[in-house]
């Protein structure tokens, strides 16, 4: 029987996990083209919209709403996400557009449970990127407010002060990722 590995233990592959692996492998093949990436982002935005406008259980809604931060990170030109990091995030979200879910989305109450579980895995795997991006956004907002209150031009030296903070945070991510990469679930599947 196939097995999958963790840093600490090699687990026997659980029954049904081949289905998840098949979904991820199939969805990953769409990541290599622009249309596939657009489909993945579109599916993630749809899930965020559903989470915001539906009466889902809190566990599910909270996780699905976390996709919003990942999508903002992808679109934020001032964050200047590298292609490698972008591919990593898109790859992690590649399960979302698959119309053949483990649990069909139309089932009331639990239809998005599988999506919420995938999002939980994504958030855990990309925690350093999420944390750094949140810190970057807080820093940018605080600096914008400080500059505005001082009556100065927001664009003056913007790239310099943002660039310094961004480079610091990207370096922190790189150090963390070099330690954690072998555990990235979507590389294992």
């Amino acid at each position: 029987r196939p097995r999958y590995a963790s840093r600490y233990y090699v687990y026997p592959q659980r029954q049904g996990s081949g289905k998840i692996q098949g979904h991820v492998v199939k969805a990953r093949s769409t990541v290599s083209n622009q249309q596939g990436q657009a489909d993945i982002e579109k599916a993630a935005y749809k899930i965020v919209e559903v989470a915001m406008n539906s009466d889902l259980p809190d566990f599910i809604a909270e996780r699905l709403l976390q996709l919003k931060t990942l999508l903002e990170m992808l679109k934020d030109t001032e964050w200047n996400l590298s292609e490698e990091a972008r591919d990593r995030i898109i790859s992690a979200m590649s399960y979302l557009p698959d119309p053949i879910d483990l649990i069909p989305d139309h089932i009331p109450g639990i239809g998005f449970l599988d999506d919420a579980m995938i999002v939980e895995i994504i958030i855990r795997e990309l925690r350093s990127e999420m944390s750094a991006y949140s810190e970057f956004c807080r820093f940018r907002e605080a600096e914008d407010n400080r500059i505005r209150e001082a009556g100065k031009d927001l664009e003056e030296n913007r790239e310099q002060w943002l660039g310094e903070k961004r480079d610091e945070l990207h370096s922190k991510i790189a150090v963390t990722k070099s330690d954690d990469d072998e555990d990235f679930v979507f590389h294992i599947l």
Side-chain angles (χ1 to χ4, degrees):
R1 283 173 47 151
R3 297 156 55 92
Y4 62 95
S6 134
R7 177 181 284 182
Y8 306 106
Y9 183 74
V10 175
Y11 298 92
Q13 188 171 10
R14 297 193 185 357
Q15 190 162 4
S17 67
K19 189 171 184 179
I20 293 172
Q21 184 178 10
H23 277 288
V24 172
V25 169
K26 178 183 166 196
R28 248 206 214 132
S29 67
T30 66
V31 173
S32 62
N33 66 57
Q34 290 294 344
Q35 183 59 45
Q37 290 181 15
D39 290 345
I40 291 167
E41 288 182 41
K42 183 178 175 183
Y45 277 114
K46 178 185 172 227
I47 289 173
V48 169
E49 183 180 329
V50 166
M52 292 172 58
N53 299 313
S54 298
D55 187 26
L56 297 172
D58 290 345
F59 168 83
I60 294 173
E62 289 168 5
R63 271 121 193 109
L64 298 181
L65 287 172
Q66 291 183 42
L67 280 174
K68 187 175 180 188
T69 302
L70 284 173
L71 292 165
E72 289 169 354
M73 190 186 320
L74 287 170
K75 298 290 185 196
D76 190 338
T77 57
E78 291 183 322
W79 178 235
N80 198 19
L81 199 59
S82 70
E83 282 303 312
E84 180 182 335
R86 180 177 306 283
D87 289 346
R88 183 179 168 96
I89 292 168
I90 293 290
S91 176
M93 292 191 305
S94 65
Y95 170 84
L96 301 174
D98 195 333
I100 304 170
D101 280 350
L102 292 174
I103 303 171
D105 293 342
H106 68 275
I107 297 176
I110 63 164
F112 286 94
L113 181 60
D114 59 326
D115 299 296
M117 291 185 312
I118 293 294
V119 171
E120 178 67 21
I121 292 168
I122 292 169
I123 297 307
R124 287 179 184 214
E125 296 297 333
L126 300 174
R127 67 188 170 275
S128 60
E129 286 92 338
M130 300 278 294
S131 175
Y133 182 66
S134 293
E135 184 177 337
F136 178 78
C137 290
R138 286 190 304 273
F139 172 80
R140 177 174 51 192
E141 183 178 357
E143 283 299 300
D144 282 349
N145 289 337
R146 186 186 64 73
I147 292 168
R148 202 176 289 114
E149 288 171 3
K152 295 183 178 178
D153 180 13
L154 283 174
E155 297 305 315
E156 185 177 332
N157 298 323
R158 183 176 188 82
E159 182 51 38
Q160 179 184 350
W161 57 264
L162 272 179
E164 290 170 1
K165 185 64 171 182
R166 181 180 52 236
D167 292 348
E168 170 194 330
L169 294 170
H170 282 218
S171 293
K172 196 185 301 185
I173 291 169
V175 168
T176 304
K177 285 298 128 202
S178 68
D179 294 339
D180 292 347
D181 257 353
E182 67 187 58
D183 291 337
F184 190 58
V185 169
F186 292 95
H187 287 261
I188 294 170
L189 296 176

